[in-house]
Amino acid sequence: MVISLVGLPGGGKSTVGRQLAKRIGARFLDSDAVLEERIGMPIRQYFEQFGEAAFRDHEEAVIDEITSHTPDVSLVLATGGGALLRPMNRERLKARTTVVYLRSTPDELYRRLKHDTQRPLLQVADPLAKLRELYEQRHPLYEQTAHYCVDTGRPSVATLVNMIMMQLEVAGVLKPGA
Ligand code: S3P
């Protein structure tokens, strides 16, 4: 069983994913970390040298590999915030995994990310405007792909993990008390 987390950058996919994996005794993978290992450099540097399209090709290949041969391994996968821009990623994640959307508002993300130097798309004069634009463009894609949605707003990481677990238990995806 694979649970994948989708949502805008800074919404907590990796932090929440790691904790969720611990709670349910699953493996945790961050597709960005797998990608950085594969491309041999930080994502920001790769974007600068080779551009976003080349990065998205690698991302699509990595997501395909991770989700295609783990049917009997329990896995929580944190995806990159732009992964769902590619239709194949939307299709594969929806068909092969249980997709949870961590929904955050642009203002909330801005508060968390205003000092970020690693995310290539946010190295712009007005990161809040960029986050608003990303939200407009991507929120519909996250919504149409996700099986479940959790608002990241105020709750702590532990609370968010509990909220996700409750939704998955009610839906029968996770066994209660797992
Ligand atoms: C991106 C988000 C990043 C990373 C890359 C592109 C995006 O992942 O994949 O910098 O397009 O939003 P996080 O969502 O983990 O920051």
Side-chain angles (χ1 to χ4, degrees), residues 101-122:
Y101 172 21
L102 295 188
R103 183 172 56 197
S104 325
T105 64
D107 293 82
E108 176 192 338
L109 295 172
Y110 178 67
R111 279 195 296 277
R112 296 192 197 172
L113 292 178
K114 57 185 168 203
H115 302 302
D116 179 88
T117 57
Q118 295 311 308
R119 290 172 168 93
L121 295 179
L122 299 180

Tab-separated table of all heavy atoms in Angstrom, residues 101-122:
chain	number	residue	atom	x	y	z
A	101	TYR	N	-4.131	15.120	-0.090
A	101	TYR	CA	-3.761	16.504	-0.405
A	101	TYR	C	-3.626	17.289	0.893
A	101	TYR	O	-4.577	17.440	1.647
A	101	TYR	CB	-4.856	17.084	-1.307
A	101	TYR	CG	-4.787	18.576	-1.606
A	101	TYR	CD1	-3.611	19.323	-1.474
A	101	TYR	CD2	-5.924	19.249	-2.065
A	101	TYR	CE1	-3.573	20.675	-1.765
A	101	TYR	CE2	-5.899	20.611	-2.364
A	101	TYR	CZ	-4.724	21.316	-2.194
A	101	TYR	OH	-4.683	22.669	-2.482
A	102	LEU	N	-2.430	17.797	1.160
A	102	LEU	CA	-2.229	18.704	2.291
A	102	LEU	C	-2.487	20.114	1.757
A	102	LEU	O	-1.662	20.676	1.039
A	102	LEU	CB	-0.798	18.603	2.832
A	102	LEU	CG	-0.378	17.268	3.455
A	102	LEU	CD1	0.984	17.407	4.123
A	102	LEU	CD2	-1.403	16.778	4.469
A	103	ARG	N	-3.662	20.645	2.076
A	103	ARG	CA	-4.078	21.927	1.511
A	103	ARG	C	-3.664	23.076	2.422
A	103	ARG	O	-3.996	23.088	3.615
A	103	ARG	CB	-5.592	21.931	1.311
A	103	ARG	CG	-6.105	23.201	0.667
A	103	ARG	CD	-7.568	23.102	0.302
A	103	ARG	NE	-8.377	22.762	1.457
A	103	ARG	CZ	-9.624	22.293	1.383
A	103	ARG	NH1	-10.185	22.074	0.218
A	103	ARG	NH2	-10.292	22.022	2.468
A	104	SER	N	-2.945	24.022	1.855
A	104	SER	CA	-2.494	25.191	2.625
A	104	SER	C	-2.786	26.437	1.813
A	104	SER	O	-2.764	26.402	0.582
A	104	SER	CB	-0.978	25.148	2.856
A	104	SER	OG	-0.524	23.842	3.037
A	105	THR	N	-3.012	27.560	2.508
A	105	THR	CA	-3.258	28.806	1.787
A	105	THR	C	-1.917	29.459	1.423
A	105	THR	O	-0.909	29.248	2.111
A	105	THR	CB	-4.059	29.805	2.663
A	105	THR	OG1	-3.232	30.149	3.781
A	105	THR	CG2	-5.361	29.207	3.151
A	106	PRO	N	-1.913	30.282	0.377
A	106	PRO	CA	-0.677	30.969	-0.010
A	106	PRO	C	-0.099	31.792	1.143
A	106	PRO	O	1.122	31.829	1.331
A	106	PRO	CB	-1.109	31.871	-1.165
A	106	PRO	CG	-2.312	31.203	-1.745
A	106	PRO	CD	-2.995	30.532	-0.593
A	107	ASP	N	-0.963	32.452	1.943
A	107	ASP	CA	-0.448	33.287	3.048
A	107	ASP	C	0.267	32.448	4.102
A	107	ASP	O	1.321	32.836	4.613
A	107	ASP	CB	-1.586	34.077	3.688
A	107	ASP	CG	-2.139	35.099	2.721
A	107	ASP	OD1	-2.971	34.708	1.871
A	107	ASP	OD2	-1.726	36.256	2.776
A	108	GLU	N	-0.341	31.318	4.403
A	108	GLU	CA	0.272	30.415	5.387
A	108	GLU	C	1.638	29.934	4.865
A	108	GLU	O	2.629	29.914	5.602
A	108	GLU	CB	-0.691	29.234	5.558
A	108	GLU	CG	-0.231	28.132	6.459
A	108	GLU	CD	-1.149	26.894	6.295
A	108	GLU	OE1	-2.309	27.027	5.832
A	108	GLU	OE2	-0.677	25.801	6.605
A	109	LEU	N	1.692	29.584	3.590
A	109	LEU	CA	2.944	29.088	3.014
A	109	LEU	C	3.991	30.194	2.966
A	109	LEU	O	5.177	29.959	3.200
A	109	LEU	CB	2.700	28.537	1.607
A	109	LEU	CG	1.790	27.310	1.586
A	109	LEU	CD1	1.430	26.932	0.160
A	109	LEU	CD2	2.464	26.141	2.293
A	110	TYR	N	3.522	31.383	2.684
A	110	TYR	CA	4.458	32.509	2.627
A	110	TYR	C	5.137	32.712	3.986
A	110	TYR	O	6.342	32.932	4.068
A	110	TYR	CB	3.726	33.778	2.186
A	110	TYR	CG	4.632	34.985	2.161
A	110	TYR	CD1	5.676	35.071	1.243
A	110	TYR	CD2	4.466	36.027	3.078
A	110	TYR	CE1	6.533	36.162	1.235
A	110	TYR	CE2	5.304	37.128	3.068
A	110	TYR	CZ	6.341	37.181	2.144
A	110	TYR	OH	7.187	38.256	2.146
A	111	ARG	N	4.323	32.609	5.058
A	111	ARG	CA	4.905	32.777	6.398
A	111	ARG	C	6.003	31.751	6.645
A	111	ARG	O	7.016	32.027	7.260
A	111	ARG	CB	3.818	32.638	7.474
A	111	ARG	CG	3.011	33.901	7.669
A	111	ARG	CD	2.216	33.862	8.967
A	111	ARG	NE	1.211	32.814	8.979
A	111	ARG	CZ	0.002	32.927	8.434
A	111	ARG	NH1	-0.358	34.049	7.834
A	111	ARG	NH2	-0.859	31.922	8.491
A	112	ARG	N	5.814	30.544	6.115
A	112	ARG	CA	6.811	29.498	6.352
A	112	ARG	C	8.007	29.590	5.418
A	112	ARG	O	9.095	29.134	5.747
A	112	ARG	CB	6.179	28.129	6.131
A	112	ARG	CG	5.084	27.815	7.106
A	112	ARG	CD	4.754	26.364	6.978
A	112	ARG	NE	3.477	26.076	7.586
A	112	ARG	CZ	2.863	24.920	7.488
A	112	ARG	NH1	3.418	23.944	6.797
A	112	ARG	NH2	1.727	24.719	8.074
A	113	LEU	N	7.769	30.133	4.227
A	113	LEU	CA	8.802	30.017	3.190
A	113	LEU	C	9.497	31.321	2.825
A	113	LEU	O	10.326	31.335	1.929
A	113	LEU	CB	8.174	29.440	1.906
A	113	LEU	CG	7.710	27.991	1.965
A	113	LEU	CD1	7.069	27.598	0.638
A	113	LEU	CD2	8.873	27.052	2.267
A	114	LYS	N	9.165	32.418	3.532
A	114	LYS	CA	9.684	33.694	3.029
A	114	LYS	C	11.212	33.771	3.055
A	114	LYS	O	11.788	34.549	2.309
A	114	LYS	CB	9.035	34.892	3.713
A	114	LYS	CG	9.140	34.942	5.188
A	114	LYS	CD	8.325	36.126	5.701
A	114	LYS	CE	8.178	36.002	7.192
A	114	LYS	NZ	7.060	36.712	7.730
A	115	HIS	N	11.844	32.931	3.893
A	115	HIS	CA	13.318	32.977	3.909
A	115	HIS	C	13.944	31.808	3.154
A	115	HIS	O	15.145	31.595	3.236
A	115	HIS	CB	13.827	33.001	5.349
A	115	HIS	CG	13.298	34.155	6.140
A	115	HIS	ND1	13.487	35.461	5.752
A	115	HIS	CD2	12.540	34.212	7.253
A	115	HIS	CE1	12.875	36.274	6.611
A	115	HIS	NE2	12.278	35.535	7.525
A	116	ASP	N	13.128	31.055	2.438
A	116	ASP	CA	13.637	29.872	1.731
A	116	ASP	C	14.587	30.266	0.589
A	116	ASP	O	14.324	31.209	-0.144
A	116	ASP	CB	12.445	29.095	1.149
A	116	ASP	CG	12.884	27.873	0.377
A	116	ASP	OD1	13.034	26.815	0.993
A	116	ASP	OD2	13.099	27.995	-0.851
A	117	THR	N	15.681	29.519	0.483
A	117	THR	CA	16.603	29.805	-0.625
A	117	THR	C	16.747	28.598	-1.555
A	117	THR	O	17.460	28.652	-2.540
A	117	THR	CB	18.021	30.145	-0.086
A	117	THR	OG1	18.463	29.037	0.724
A	117	THR	CG2	18.030	31.402	0.743
A	118	GLN	N	16.083	27.496	-1.223
A	118	GLN	CA	16.296	26.253	-1.977
A	118	GLN	C	15.276	25.993	-3.074
A	118	GLN	O	15.520	25.264	-4.008
A	118	GLN	CB	16.298	25.047	-1.006
A	118	GLN	CG	17.468	25.066	-0.033
A	118	GLN	CD	18.799	25.304	-0.743
A	118	GLN	OE1	19.138	24.623	-1.696
A	118	GLN	NE2	19.538	26.314	-0.286
A	119	ARG	N	14.086	26.553	-2.922
A	119	ARG	CA	13.046	26.233	-3.900
A	119	ARG	C	13.151	27.199	-5.081
A	119	ARG	O	12.875	28.390	-4.944
A	119	ARG	CB	11.674	26.303	-3.235
A	119	ARG	CG	11.484	25.144	-2.257
A	119	ARG	CD	10.226	25.311	-1.465
A	119	ARG	NE	9.872	24.121	-0.727
A	119	ARG	CZ	10.240	23.891	0.530
A	119	ARG	NH1	11.005	24.746	1.170
A	119	ARG	NH2	9.855	22.775	1.128
A	120	PRO	N	13.525	26.656	-6.241
A	120	PRO	CA	13.817	27.529	-7.384
A	120	PRO	C	12.662	28.437	-7.774
A	120	PRO	O	12.888	29.602	-8.122
A	120	PRO	CB	14.148	26.535	-8.517
A	120	PRO	CG	13.742	25.186	-8.040
A	120	PRO	CD	13.704	25.232	-6.554
A	121	LEU	N	11.424	27.949	-7.657
A	121	LEU	CA	10.300	28.763	-8.134
A	121	LEU	C	10.019	29.960	-7.234
A	121	LEU	O	9.315	30.887	-7.624
A	121	LEU	CB	9.036	27.901	-8.246
A	121	LEU	CG	9.097	26.791	-9.290
A	121	LEU	CD1	7.810	25.986	-9.292
A	121	LEU	CD2	9.341	27.366	-10.685
A	122	LEU	N	10.580	29.933	-6.017
A	122	LEU	CA	10.278	31.027	-5.085
A	122	LEU	C	11.392	32.060	-4.985
A	122	LEU	O	11.319	32.986	-4.185
A	122	LEU	CB	9.953	30.452	-3.699
A	122	LEU	CG	8.734	29.534	-3.664
A	122	LEU	CD1	8.496	29.006	-2.264
A	122	LEU	CD2	7.481	30.248	-4.169
